[in-house]
Amino acid sequence: MKGIWGEMNDKSPETRKFLSPVIGLCAILTGTALIARATDVRTPMDITVCDLVRRPLDFLDKRIRVQGKARFVFEVQALVDETCPADNKIAGMIWLDFGDPDNILKYFGGWTTSDYLLAVKAGEVKGEETSVAWQTASPISPMEPRKISEFYRAFRKKSGVKAHKDVLVTIVGRFDFTEKGLLIYSQDKGLSFKPGFGHIGGYSGRIAIESIELVEKGNRHSAQ
């Protein structure tokens, strides 16, 4: 195969003179588009907890950076903000996971729990071949276990004996939202349905954490 440059050599000098800048411009535009696409995917959006609570679908499957109060207590691991209640299962709270324990490869948010049970009964749930409008999840880079341990040590040191105290954190990660319910096809080819995230599925939204920092009087204890 000659390829485009080989074919150009077969053209007249006048044709080559015309095509060269055109091809060069196409290459530049293609490269720019690829860079822009990569930037869109990997550069986190700076938002607030209330943004996530009030407009969750705007940030679905997006990489975000958010600063807010985190609460790590028994059966609660979440960002909290009581000033922004909404039609969420737990208003003003976003569940936090270190990484993506569901290993989401594809997802579909158009079914309720009743819809899912009816589809199972009708034999319509067939793994990846289930006839739904699958969306491919954005990949994340989960934190190393060592970094998670470092974060918890810094958290306990900052909170002292009052481990229930909310602490200010900055988090980078992917935002997931169940809508009415989330059908998940995982990377290990498993199929599951989640009515919500966190403890007893009580949270509509969650952040799959890539990095987290404790923030205290302008100083940060970083775990990335």
Side-chain angles (χ1 to χ4, degrees):
M1 295 179 63
K2 294 182 178 180
I4 189 169
W5 296 109
E7 292 177 359
M8 275 190 62
N9 289 332
D10 293 339
K11 305 294 184 182
S12 67
E14 292 77 10
T15 302
R16 291 199 300 271
K17 183 177 180 181
F18 171 77
L19 287 177
S20 292
V22 173
I23 293 171
L25 178 60
C26 289
I28 292 172
L29 292 175
T30 300
T32 302
L34 290 173
I35 292 171
R37 183 178 179 185
T39 301
D40 289 342
V41 171
R42 297 309 303 163
T43 302
M45 306 167 62
D46 290 306
I47 60 173
T48 68
V49 178
C50 286
D51 289 333
L52 294 177
V53 173
R54 290 172 175 157
R55 300 183 289 116
L57 292 178
D58 289 351
F59 307 103
L60 174 61
D61 199 44
K62 298 293 194 302
R63 192 166 183 260
I64 60 169
R65 179 188 293 109
V66 57
Q67 186 173 102
K69 293 184 295 182
R71 186 174 298 166
F72 293 91
V73 295
F74 179 64
E75 296 180 345
V76 176
Q77 184 169 293
L79 280 178
V80 299
D81 192 332
E82 294 83 358
T83 67
C84 51
D87 291 333
N88 206 334
K89 293 181 179 179
I90 297 183
M93 299 183 73
I94 308 295
W95 185 257
L96 301 175
D97 272 325
F98 286 94
D100 177 9
D102 302 298
N103 293 313
I104 301 175
L105 179 62
K106 298 180 181 180
Y107 65 92
F108 171 68
W111 277 351
T112 63
T113 300
S114 297
D115 293 331
Y116 173 69
L117 294 176
L118 287 173
V120 170
K121 185 176 181 180
E124 297 172 354
V125 178
K126 303 174 181 178
E128 188 178 15
E129 302 305 316
T130 302
S131 183
V132 295
W134 289 113
Q135 301 293 315
T136 301
S138 298
I140 67 168
S141 301
M143 292 174 57
E144 298 175 8
R146 175 179 59 85
K147 292 294 185 180
I148 297 174
S149 297
E150 288 176 0
F151 169 79
Y152 276 123
R153 283 198 297 271
F155 168 77
R156 286 192 290 269
K157 180 179 179 181
K158 181 178 187 296
S159 300
V161 294
K162 295 182 179 180
H164 65 280
K165 181 180 178 181
D166 297 342
V167 294
L168 188 62
V169 296
T170 297
I171 292 174
V172 173
R174 186 189 69 209
F175 181 64
D176 298 325
F177 186 65
T178 58
E179 299 184 65
K180 299 176 182 178
L182 197 66
L183 185 65
I184 294 172
Y185 183 73
S186 66
Q187 295 181 24
D188 59 5
K189 303 186 185 305
L191 191 71
S192 60
F193 184 83
K194 299 182 77 71
F197 298 105
H199 179 57
I200 63 173
Y203 298 73
S204 300
R206 72 104 180 253
I207 300 174
I209 299 172
E210 290 187 309
S211 69
I212 184 169
E213 298 175 329
L214 284 168
V215 181
E216 182 180 15
K217 296 180 180 179
N219 297 318
R220 294 184 175 183
H221 303 275
S222 178
Q224 301 182 48

